[in-house]
Amino acid sequence: MLYTIDFEYKGGTYLAQVEAPGLRDVLKRWLQQTPDADLVRWQAERSVIAEAFTRETPMAIQGLKGVWCVSCTISDSFALANIIATDERA
């Protein structure tokens, strides 16, 4: 399944798409594919981001199909990820 990630962190919005077998794997796959340059810009380590997001469970957005939201704190900064199941035929 293809998912679109809308990641909000430190005043920036970052979009990416990843293939994952299910919702539980989306952020893990996204983080594995995140370029090192983004991590430098965010001043955050991959392991710190992974740890922060693994403590949280994405919640379905009421009234929408295939859309979830998860937030956490990374290095004392608020982080928000919206996860959208994406039709590959678009």
Side-chain angles (χ1 to χ4, degrees):
M1 176 65 136
L2 181 67
Y3 294 90
T4 300
I5 311 301
D6 171 9
F7 181 59
E8 311 271 336
Y9 186 60
K10 292 188 174 182
T13 301
Y14 308 92
L15 297 169
Q17 291 186 310
V18 297
E19 293 274 347
L23 183 61
R24 299 184 131 236
D25 298 308
V26 173
L27 292 176
K28 181 179 177 181
R29 294 268 176 105
W30 162 73
L31 192 52
Q32 289 171 343
Q33 296 176 19
T34 298
D36 290 340
D38 285 346
L39 297 171
V40 170
R41 182 176 324 126
W42 302 336
Q43 299 175 345
E45 294 181 27
R46 203 176 305 269
S47 62
V48 172
I49 297 171
E51 182 181 335
F53 275 122
T54 57
R55 290 191 302 257
E56 305 300 329
T57 301
M59 301 297 293
I61 302 296
Q62 187 174 355
L64 299 177
K65 293 182 181 180
V67 181
W68 301 265
C69 179
V70 61
S71 64
C72 63
T73 301
I74 301 169
S75 302
D76 296 325
S77 294
F78 179 75
L80 172 72
N82 291 302
I83 304 166
I84 302 119
T86 306
D87 186 347
E88 296 181 51
R89 297 172 289 170

